[in-house]
Amino acid sequence: MPKLITQVGCPYCGAACDDLEILVSDDGKKILETRNACVIGSEIFHHATSSNRLTRPRLRQPDGSFKETTYEEAIDYTAKALLHAKKPLIYGFGSTNCEGMSAVGRVSEKAGAVLDNCASICHGPSFLAIFDNGYPSCTLGEIKNRADVVVFWGCNPMHAHPRHTSRYSIFPRGFFTNRGQKHRTVICVDPRETDTAKLADHHLMVKQGHDYDLFDAFRTVLRGHDIPKEVAGIEKARILEAAEKMKNARFVMIFFGMGCTHTDGRNHNVDIAISLTRDLNDQTKASIMAMRGHYNIAGPGQVWSWQFGFPYCIDLSKGTHAHMNPGETSSVDLAMRDEVDCFVNVGTDAGAHFPIEAVKHLKNHPFITVDPNINMASEISDLHIPVRIVGVEEPGVVYRMDNVPIQFKKVIDGPEGVPSDEELFDRVYLRMCELTQTEPIWIHEKTHVPTTTSQVD
Amino acid sequence: MATITMKPFKTPELFLECSNISPDVFAGKSPSEISKLEVREGKIRNELGDFFEVTGTSGTTAEDTDIVIEGDCSRVKYIGMKMTAGSITLNGNADMYVGGWMKGGSIHVKGNVDSFCGIAMEGGEIQVDGDAQNYVGCAYRGDWRGMRGGTIHIHGSAGNDIGTFMLGGTIIIEKNAFIHVSTHAEGGTVIIKGDVQGRVGGQMVKGDIYVLGDVTYMLPGFKEIGQVDKTIAGQDITFRHFIGDLGERHPKKKGQEIYGNLFLRASSPSGIPQ
Amino acid sequence: MAELVIKNGFVIDPSRNINGDVADIAIRDDKIVEKGGKDAKVIDARGKVVMPGGVDIHAHVAGPKVNAGRLMRPEDKLFKSPNAQEHYRMEMGFSIPSTFKTGYDYARMGYAFVMEAAMPPLHGPHVHEEIHDTPIIDEGALPVFGNNWFVMEYLKNEEIENTAAYVAWLLSATKGFGLKLVNPGGTAAWAWGLNCLSINDPVPFYDITPAEIITGLMKTNEYLGLPHSIHLHHNSLGIPGNYAVTLDSLQLAGGITAKNKFNREQVMHSTHIQFHSYGGDSWANFESKAKEVMDYVNSRKNLTVDLGCVTLDETTTMTADGPFEHHLNSLNHLKWANTDVELETAAGVVPYIYDKDVKVSGIQWAIGLELGLYAKDPSRTFITTDHPNAGPFIRYPRVIKWLMSQKAREATFDTLKHSSKVIDATDLHGIDKERTLYEIAQMTRTGPAKALGLSHMYGGLGEGLDANVAVFDLDVNNMPGDPEEIEKAFLRASLFVKSGQIVVKDGDITHHGNKRTVWVNAKVKDNPQVTRDIHDKFLKNYTVSIGNYAVRDNLAPNPYVIEVDVEA
């Protein structure tokens, strides 16, 4: 009898839906059917048992080809590369669990590495804004139960977070919003007529790159001052109308995405959006939230904040303390300036996401990818180490876009012999300890197999 | 006055962190002692003498110690960090954090500097003959206490984020600046003699900004209230006077709200309607 | 079998009325025993003070708001990393230290147990992840109940049994320790941007008052017979004149008696009482009402309090009192984080500087110490700083110094810019009382252990208790003339044995210890209505599935579960 596993978390987007139902074959090895998931989420589950899954690490050979190798050898190679480098960069974590991120924290400290995550090229500007201005936010249930004006600014959940609008933000009937969509006024600010914009009651087609000006206009209007007759390509009357909607709402929710963080202004767009949220709280109730991309990309921001005090761009090379200053310690800047001499790409695809110049610099040094899948980064790596897929083959804690922890399940067993991120990095750590003849520091009792015992030369 | 001369003879593979290059650290030390001071290249500990030839004599205090660096420091960070007195003259370029958290004394860089020049500066003087990258005179991440005093004079152009969270002191940019000037500022003066693209004074509470060139995009939160004559860098200039950011909170003094001031040269070929 | 004897120290153990007698403390494995064997390892503590391990009844050390504070304050780390020890994890942060630094610094001060003071249930897994990453110290966490939809709906109709069933379920689901109430009703009002500033302000929509929530949860707590009492952060925190609300709120405990098997006597623990003892009606005529509040507490044996002393530092305020943080932000205009948590609670975070140049800060500082000195029963009055709200926990030794030395208090008065105004608004200047080491041990060890219902584990050095022993470099017969030496001694224990393991020597960490998570499992009889209500709310209002809500066992891998069988 196939088995139906319910309340399964989805390892795709930051909405981290945890109501999926997965039908698994009798032997617990094959995923037969997914229910409740969006098409992308569904694909992740089906992909897990596709025939082209890698189950052993591949090491680049002198002739440029990849050759399959053992995990022991891959761990040894990684440990030595990290120890040898003056300043390695460990980056990624778009798709791992918090357990893996925690294990990497220990490795990075030992390696004197810079530890960074995909926020660096995504919602990093949001962190900069949070550092400077705070983050008046809420959990997604508050929007479902209370929000009557919902603003989508520079984000398009209809494509990027397919179930966001139905589970949390536009359609659901909540406790104080029992008429669902009819209860809510939706405002979309986007230079394009996206599918989200099409759903909106008001679409403000902001002139590309002038979000900051438009935020400033809203703030100025809310304080009772006049504004020019057009700001950022929007007529004054339309700005006044939208401002009035927000002011008269019972609960205003502002969602923002990469349209804020990666157009001109970047962190400042988010910073002033936060200021607008603060202003609105003097008149009504308002909240703001970053539309985080991956299901657990809020995770490293949490785990590393409690371990090191910083969410990303953490330079651990000083040994005594961590240092963070994006612009200096951010992955792309480090790569572009040729400031690191070893690169480990974990659970993401820096090959596809980084500027080509940055990748070229990184390619001058050891380049390692840890990821279940083949991607552009893995194909240019010196070493590719496959791991289990979190949420499918490996359980663990993930942080949803609203920083709510969700305990993901596994639904099938991973391929024989393939470790989780956590196991892999704990083994790398233990190998680094062996090579440096040092005692491991407070590593929780685990069953990870220690590797061979040869010393560093 | 006593002078220590440093001559770079080796370029690091990565970047050198040299927060020890400061009159405060060098004072009272011999060249050989200075050569043994720690510098970092990533996690590797090196000595200053591994990269610089150090000669001359230091003063007994920072105040009477001058440091002259003869050569390029494009891959050297933190020159003059936290210095309180004395001087540093660099005949070449410098990397990030020149004069970071500086309290006194003077730094003269005859080439260009990278980002974070004069970050969280409290006093003293920084002269840069060339260009500066981003974050001139800014605050450290998250700190609401940005530049509090002193002067930063960039003779070339500067990038974005100048004087963020500035509370006091003066920043002068002789040529152009990119975007975001005096964001969140609550004091201080920024003078830009060239053009700025936009977002000047965003979320500004208090402080003064002078732009002698053009502002391409004026923020909607700034309102023109008249014209004033001022003497800036020895020139008598008529300015259009804007106040803002009207979207931001402003303190009250004797019942009157205090705003940030943006002075835009009246004769600028500005696209902003009079 | 590991044996250890700490010999010849001046033992201070209020749980057995021992005050400075020279005696030996013997340890076998993780427990204190009567006598060590002949092979026991001997540590000489001659000329030093030997106390039970410290117990912190209230600190914000783990969880989402603590981490929001860490995340949004990089400047709290800049140039502030004084304690990095080789071969240990990196230690970052001043007012909101990393988990590693938290564990290490508490151990350095000889603390064995710390209670995380506010766990949002929905974020339970996060709290436990952080606890798991905090070395050495034992920890528990108090889930917040005072603004919870279930609680308000049941208590509106005075349904104590249903409330109890829900509370028991949530304690078990979150691996929580007891009942925390933060600005009851007020935080629920904050979800609409409102507040409840007195105990009789109705909670918008819920048709219930803070007083009814407090009384109902007090009754629920005693119905269940939990180790700890309700742990209450009163309404109207931090507002001039709030002492009247505090007195109203404390009076609700009248007529309710403690019912439990844990030797606990109080029915209400009133936390960070400093923030609730304010007179005046504005910041201009702000003054101390410490005496009025403490006089009442002194007269009621069923109350305990902790101080929440202001330490005059730059720190980070964080509380589930969402409306208060919004209010504070309107005063200091610094960055502000807020998280409203669906159906349960909220939280806010704002950096704050208690500035010696500001009159109000000086008065707040004085109020905390006045309360500590006016208390007639030190075993019901505990030293805290509401870490990090009134100051970071590493300032406990400084608070101890102030309580033990009038000279130290006067020295601080001299550093206040408006000391004469502070003196006018408070009594502290005229108080010559100085707390003894015995009283300090009551206020940091025996007292809080008893109030938590954990006196069978912590707070004493009697046979059978957990082997948590702190040795401080202080000579009871020759106490230092310079009060700074007192602070120094308590900041870095000469020796600390936690659960039988030496974890600190000469103020340095020597071992990662055997930390535990302590939680309470109250067993009530099946309550189908409550079960149905819980499922219903998860279906309709929560955005997380019920099956993923409860904290899984692997997140608390070193549990110590206190089982409570409810007879009803």
Side-chain angles (χ1 to χ4, degrees):
Chain A
M1 270 289 283
K3 189 169 56 170
L4 186 70
I5 305 174
T6 62
Q7 302 183 20
V8 172
C10 174
Y12 167 51
C13 79
C17 306
D18 70 337
D19 62 342
L20 273 52
E21 298 182 352
I22 311 290
L23 193 67
V24 173
S25 65
D26 215 5
D27 58 2
K29 294 211 158 107
K30 185 88 186 157
I31 288 165
L32 304 174
E33 200 180 310
T34 62
R35 297 176 191 166
N36 293 347
C38 67
V39 282
I40 310 171
S42 181
E43 183 54 33
I44 285 175
F45 283 93
H46 288 298
H47 174 72
T49 46
S50 72
S51 54
N52 57 0
R53 257 310 274 290
L54 291 176
T55 56
R56 290 294 174 266
R58 298 176 297 155
L59 188 64
R60 184 80 58 197
Q61 301 301 304
D63 68 355
S65 68
F66 260 144
K67 189 184 159 200
E68 199 171 90
T69 182
T70 62
Y71 276 97
E72 279 64 34
E73 199 179 335
I75 286 161
D76 182 68
Y77 181 99
T78 308
K80 283 176 177 159
L82 287 170
L83 287 171
H84 184 259
K86 291 176 180 169
K87 193 170 186 175
L89 169 62
I90 304 179
Y91 163 86
F93 311 95
S95 49
T96 49
N97 56 14
C98 291
E99 289 81 352
M101 291 157 186
S102 180
V104 165
R106 192 184 279 106
V107 169
S108 304
E109 210 173 311
K110 182 90 185 163
V114 179
L115 184 54
D116 197 8
N117 64 67
C118 303
S120 207
I121 57 161
C122 185
H123 269 286
S126 309
F127 283 136
L128 298 183
I130 291 167
F131 298 156
D132 285 344
N133 210 0
Y135 193 51
S137 193
C138 61
T139 69
L140 287 163
E142 287 295 276
I143 301 128
K144 167 176 163 175
N145 288 317
R146 298 179 199 268
D148 56 348
V149 169
V150 181
V151 182
F152 295 99
W153 197 309
C155 55
N156 182 15
M158 292 308 286
H159 287 201
H161 302 86
R163 297 181 68 216
H164 188 281
T165 56
S166 59
R167 271 173 66 81
Y168 314 119
S169 54
I170 298 181
F171 302 107
R173 294 164 192 270
F175 193 81
F176 298 100
T177 51
N178 51 19
R179 290 181 295 129
Q181 186 186 13
K182 290 199 188 82
H183 225 119
R184 296 185 179 92
T185 302
V186 176
I187 301 172
C188 183
V189 184
D190 204 301
R192 300 166 302 159
E193 197 184 2
T194 61
D195 282 339
T196 306
K198 284 177 194 156
L199 267 177
D201 302 290
H202 303 266
H203 176 202
L204 302 182
M205 211 179 263
V206 63
K207 189 170 149 196
Q208 169 91 46
H210 288 266
D211 302 77
Y212 190 88
D213 312 45
L214 186 56
F215 278 117
D216 193 34
F218 274 118
R219 295 192 73 204
T220 303
V221 163
L222 285 169
R223 282 182 197 270
H225 297 288
D226 198 14
I227 52 166
K229 61 180 193 290
E230 187 185 299
V231 176
I234 318 270
E235 281 170 42
K236 178 173 156 184
R238 301 208 59 210
I239 295 170
L240 294 177
E241 182 190 25
E244 221 32 47
K245 287 276 176 212
M246 291 189 217
K247 204 166 89 180
N248 295 325
R250 286 203 303 174
F251 189 117
V252 186
M253 187 65 212
I254 302 174
F255 289 107
F256 64 94
M258 306 264 283
C260 280
T261 64
H262 283 272
T263 51
D264 267 12
R266 290 165 174 259
N267 56 306
H268 297 281
N269 295 334
V270 180
D271 190 314
I272 197 167
I274 292 165
S275 285
L276 173 62
T277 313
R278 292 167 64 134
D279 297 346
L280 285 165
N281 270 295
D282 293 333
Q283 317 212 9
T284 178
K285 178 80 185 182
S287 219
I288 187 163
M289 193 182 297
M291 294 288 258
R292 306 301 303 274
H294 305 293
Y295 67 96
N296 189 27
I297 199 55
Q302 294 298 333
V303 176
W304 300 342
S305 285
W306 79 61
Q307 294 196 337
F308 303 111
F310 305 115
Y312 78 137
C313 299
I314 306 162
D315 179 356
L316 299 165
S317 69
K318 292 161 204 343
T320 50
H321 63 282
H323 164 71
M324 178 211 68
N325 192 7
E328 178 199 14
T329 60
S330 27
S331 292
V332 172
D333 296 282
L334 290 167
M336 295 294 272
R337 280 159 53 88
D338 219 354
E339 205 172 334
V340 287
D341 56 352
C342 172
F343 182 59
V344 185
N345 170 76
V346 185
T348 189
D349 188 0
H353 305 155
F354 280 11
I356 187 70
E357 281 307 312
V359 178
K360 279 183 186 166
H361 280 297
L362 294 172
K363 270 300 292 168
N364 294 329
H365 306 285
F367 192 122
I368 300 166
T369 289
V370 176
D371 197 285
N373 305 308
I374 291 174
N375 59 31
M376 279 173 73
S378 75
E379 294 319 280
I380 59 168
S381 290
D382 299 307
L383 172 66
H384 177 208
I385 313 177
V387 286
R388 293 204 285 270
I389 301 173
V390 169
V392 181
E393 302 155 351
E394 179 68 14
V397 179
V398 313
Y399 286 80
R400 202 165 68 179
M401 63 163 65
D402 56 355
N403 294 319
V404 168
I406 317 261
Q407 300 166 91
F408 271 26
K409 295 171 178 163
K410 73 169 206 180
V411 292
I412 53 170
D413 292 330
E416 180 90 33
V418 174
S420 67
D421 295 277
E422 184 190 23
E423 283 163 3
L424 178 78
F425 282 105
D426 277 350
R427 287 170 64 181
V428 169
Y429 177 72
L430 293 172
R431 180 66 186 139
M432 289 167 79
C433 291
E434 283 172 2
L435 290 166
T436 53
Q437 293 180 274
T438 47
E439 282 291 310
I441 298 173
W442 197 43
I443 187 156
H444 303 298
E445 65 300 328
K446 293 264 172 56
T447 50
H448 310 326
V449 192
T451 52
T452 52
T453 52
S454 68
Q455 303 301 330
V456 73
D457 42 35
Chain B
M1 297 296 274
T3 303
I4 287 284
T5 304
M6 301 171 61
K7 209 174 153 115
F9 61 83
K10 188 172 140 192
T11 307
E13 186 194 351
L14 304 178
F15 281 73
L16 275 192
E17 297 184 356
C18 294
S19 55
N20 279 327
I21 301 182
S22 154
D24 296 74
V25 182
F26 283 12
K29 291 193 175 71
S30 69
S32 66
E33 285 171 320
I34 292 168
S35 297
K36 291 206 162 53
L37 289 169
E38 185 183 293
V39 298
R40 302 282 295 229
E41 187 187 10
K43 66 189 174 204
I44 308 298
R45 291 167 207 267
N46 294 298
E47 293 177 357
L48 211 46
D50 297 338
F51 295 88
F52 294 90
E53 186 193 331
V54 184
T55 55
T57 49
S58 64
T60 48
T61 62
E63 202 171 356
D64 47 34
T65 300
D66 295 322
I67 301 171
V68 176
I69 308 174
E70 294 289 356
D72 184 65
C73 286
S74 297
R75 295 178 87 81
V76 178
K77 296 181 188 177
Y78 295 111
I79 292 172
M81 164 123 157
K82 291 185 178 175
M83 69 186 270
T84 65
S87 79
I88 298 175
T89 307
L90 167 57
N91 291 306
N93 302 328
D95 193 48
M96 294 176 171
Y97 299 111
V98 169
W101 297 275
M102 178 175 178
K103 291 189 168 68
S106 65
I107 298 176
H108 185 184
V109 178
K110 295 191 176 168
N112 304 322
V113 297
D114 208 291
S115 297
F116 307 107
C117 173
I119 180 174
M121 183 175 180
E122 290 182 35
E125 193 188 349
I126 299 174
Q127 294 273 342
V128 176
D129 291 354
D131 297 332
Q133 290 294 314
N134 309 320
Y135 296 101
V136 172
C138 68
Y140 176 64
R141 301 293 180 193
D143 209 330
W144 57 92
R145 293 150 297 200
M147 180 170 171
R148 276 183 263 201
T151 303
I152 304 174
H153 198 148
I154 309 291
H155 290 269
S157 294
N160 50 263
D161 293 271
I162 296 161
T164 310
F165 280 108
M166 193 172 184
L167 299 175
T170 305
I171 298 172
I172 305 165
I173 312 291
E174 287 291 334
K175 293 183 180 166
N176 302 331
F178 179 37
I179 45 171
H180 294 290
V181 178
S182 297
T183 312
H184 283 296
E186 288 205 56
T189 303
V190 177
I191 301 166
I192 292 163
K193 297 201 179 167
D195 303 335
V196 195
Q197 196 189 89
R199 294 175 222 136
V200 181
Q203 295 160 285
M204 185 179 189
V205 179
K206 277 195 300 185
D208 297 316
I209 304 170
Y210 295 85
V211 180
L212 274 57
D214 186 16
V215 175
T216 315
Y217 299 103
M218 184 66 83
L219 286 172
F222 276 79
K223 181 171 90 175
E224 188 165 7
I225 58 166
Q227 291 209 338
V228 285
D229 296 322
K230 296 223 170 206
T231 308
I232 290 297
Q235 291 176 269
D236 295 323
I237 301 171
T238 303
F239 289 99
R240 297 165 65 187
H241 183 191
F242 295 79
I243 55 166
D245 176 344
L246 297 177
E248 184 55 63
R249 73 180 166 92
H250 293 282
K252 274 192 177 154
K253 202 173 174 183
K254 291 179 183 158
Q256 288 290 309
E257 274 192 294
I258 312 292
Y259 296 100
N261 298 300
L262 167 54
F263 300 101
L264 179 62
R265 187 182 199 144
S267 60
S268 287
S270 173
I272 296 152
Q274 297 265 353
Chain C
M1 211 153 52
E3 292 200 354
L4 191 63
V5 180
I6 298 165
K7 282 188 99 71
N8 298 322
F10 300 112
V11 174
I12 297 181
D13 178 8
S15 76
R16 295 179 296 153
N17 303 316
I18 298 174
N19 186 5
D21 303 357
V22 173
D24 300 346
I25 302 295
I27 292 165
R28 186 177 306 132
D29 296 332
D30 58 352
K31 292 275 187 274
I32 291 172
V33 292
E34 194 195 345
K35 217 168 164 234
K38 62 179 187 322
D39 296 331
K41 181 180 171 171
V42 174
I43 291 173
D44 188 25
R46 191 181 303 270
K48 294 175 181 173
V49 159
V50 177
M51 285 189 186
V55 177
D56 191 348
I57 198 165
H58 185 106
H60 302 275
V61 286
K65 71 188 169 323
V66 183
N67 221 32
R70 294 187 189 105
L71 191 156
M72 83 168 185
R73 290 206 65 192
E75 79 283 5
D76 189 59
K77 267 76 67 174
L78 186 69
F79 310 134
K80 288 174 177 173
S81 178
N83 274 326
Q85 250 187 257
E86 222 174 317
H87 307 303
Y88 288 84
R89 293 301 297 267
M90 212 172 253
E91 299 180 53
M92 293 298 297
F94 172 71
S95 68
I96 356 148
S98 65
T99 53
F100 306 128
K101 185 169 173 58
T102 299
Y104 294 156
D105 274 349
Y106 265 112
R108 288 182 181 116
M109 302 192 316
Y111 270 72
F113 180 90
V114 178
M115 182 63 79
E116 159 52 48
M119 165 161 63
L122 184 62
H123 293 81
H126 180 170
V127 175
H128 284 282
E129 277 203 290
E130 285 199 29
I131 286 177
H132 179 40
D133 251 359
T134 307
I136 305 175
I137 52 174
D138 292 346
E139 288 174 284
L142 299 173
V144 287
F145 284 95
N147 296 282
N148 182 297
W149 288 12
F150 293 90
V151 168
M152 290 190 292
E153 282 169 18
Y154 293 137
L155 289 182
K156 183 161 63 182
N157 305 318
E158 295 181 56
E159 296 167 13
I160 300 297
E161 232 174 283
N162 287 343
T163 313
Y166 172 72
V167 164
W169 175 78
L170 198 77
L171 283 178
S172 155
T174 59
K175 302 196 193 297
F177 188 88
L179 276 67
K180 178 71 183 298
L181 289 72
V182 178
N183 185 6
T187 295
W190 171 240
W192 293 123
L194 307 167
N195 197 358
C196 297
L197 285 169
S198 87
I199 60 166
N200 298 315
D201 283 6
V203 185
F205 182 81
Y206 284 97
D207 195 21
I208 190 169
T209 63
E212 288 162 344
I213 297 172
I214 296 166
T215 306
L217 282 175
M218 224 168 350
K219 287 179 179 165
T220 303
N221 197 89
E222 301 314 313
Y223 172 92
L224 288 167
L226 299 176
H228 191 30
S229 64
I230 66 159
H231 190 116
L232 174 61
H233 157 144
H234 300 285
N235 298 75
S236 202
L237 173 141
I239 311 290
N242 64 7
Y243 83 104
V245 178
T246 306
L247 291 174
D248 287 347
S249 185
L250 291 171
Q251 278 165 18
L252 297 173
I256 299 185
T257 43
K259 179 183 146 284
N260 66 92
K261 294 174 177 165
F262 298 92
N263 193 28
R264 160 177 63 81
E265 291 178 45
Q266 91 280 8
V267 295
M268 179 194 289
H269 175 74
S270 171
T271 190
H272 41 67
I273 192 86
Q274 176 273 131
F275 285 121
H276 305 275
S277 303
Y278 295 169
D281 54 24
S282 75
W283 295 113
N285 63 8
F286 179 60
E287 60 175 350
S288 171
K289 288 287 178 188
K291 183 150 196 324
E292 285 76 358
V293 171
M294 198 37 90
D295 278 351
Y296 185 81
V297 172
N298 283 337
S299 71
R300 294 291 188 278
K301 279 219 176 309
N302 66 352
L303 297 174
T304 56
V305 299
D306 68 82
L307 297 175
C309 283
V310 165
T311 64
L312 299 170
D313 285 289
E314 176 182 327
T315 190
T316 312
T317 66
M318 53 182 63
T319 167
D321 195 338
F324 171 74
E325 291 290 357
H326 180 246
H327 168 71
L328 187 66
N329 184 240
S330 71
L331 298 177
N332 80 355
H333 306 298
L334 300 182
K335 47 192 160 182
W336 168 51
N338 178 79
T339 302
D340 295 337
V341 181
E342 59 206 61
L343 290 79
E344 295 176 351
T345 181
V349 185
V350 175
Y352 198 81
I353 302 170
Y354 294 96
D355 190 337
K356 288 182 175 172
D357 293 348
V358 173
K359 181 191 78 168
V360 169
S361 299
I363 296 172
Q364 290 176 305
W365 165 75
I367 293 172
L369 298 177
E370 282 175 16
L371 289 157
L373 294 166
Y374 279 138
K376 287 215 171 107
D377 184 356
S379 66
R380 290 198 284 123
T381 308
F382 316 132
I383 291 174
T384 66
T385 59
D386 186 17
H387 164 82
N389 283 295
F393 70 80
I394 50 160
R395 296 297 192 225
Y396 290 175
R398 190 163 292 177
V399 174
I400 291 171
K401 172 187 75 180
W402 281 321
L403 291 172
M404 291 187 72
S405 163
Q406 190 184 18
K407 188 173 155 191
R409 300 195 288 269
E410 289 307 317
T412 300
F413 266 119
D414 290 343
T415 66
L416 301 179
K417 189 172 171 187
H418 302 286
S419 61
S420 60
K421 285 182 184 164
V422 174
I423 288 168
D424 286 349
T426 62
D427 300 342
L428 185 65
H429 186 60
I431 300 178
D432 59 4
K433 189 174 179 66
E434 295 187 331
R435 290 289 181 195
T436 62
L437 284 171
Y438 186 85
E439 289 169 331
I440 295 298
Q442 289 178 296
M443 297 170 92
T444 56
R445 282 142 168 94
T446 317
K450 185 175 175 190
L452 289 169
L454 294 176
S455 53
H456 59 294
M457 296 166 72
Y458 305 99
L461 296 170
E463 206 184 326
L465 269 68
D466 286 12
N468 303 316
V469 188
V471 180
F472 298 108
D473 202 353
L474 288 169
D475 182 338
V476 294
N477 298 321
N478 188 21
M479 285 295 280
D482 180 3
E484 297 310 311
E485 296 296 317
I486 298 176
E487 179 175 344
K488 232 169 97 184
F490 279 110
L491 192 60
R492 306 190 72 136
S494 164
L495 178 86
F496 182 43
V497 178
K498 161 72 185 35
S499 302
Q501 175 74 50
I502 297 172
V503 292
V504 172
K505 260 186 189 161
D506 299 326
D508 286 331
I509 302 296
T510 57
H511 194 275
H512 278 94
N514 306 300
K515 87 153 292 126
R516 291 177 302 184
T517 307
V518 184
W519 62 279
V520 172
N521 187 26
K523 286 179 220 135
V524 293
K525 63 172 190 261
D526 278 350
N527 186 321
Q529 184 196 331
V530 171
T531 306
R532 199 166 53 239
D533 290 347
I534 290 170
H535 280 267
D536 190 57
K537 282 230 180 354
F538 271 90
L539 277 178
K540 288 184 180 153
N541 302 122
Y542 272 106
T543 56
V544 173
S545 297
I546 189 170
N548 300 323
Y549 182 81
V551 175
R552 292 182 191 151
D553 287 344
N554 64 306
L555 293 185
N558 309 296
Y560 184 92
V561 186
I562 297 175
E563 305 282 352
V564 180
D565 283 311
V566 181
E567 305 152 358

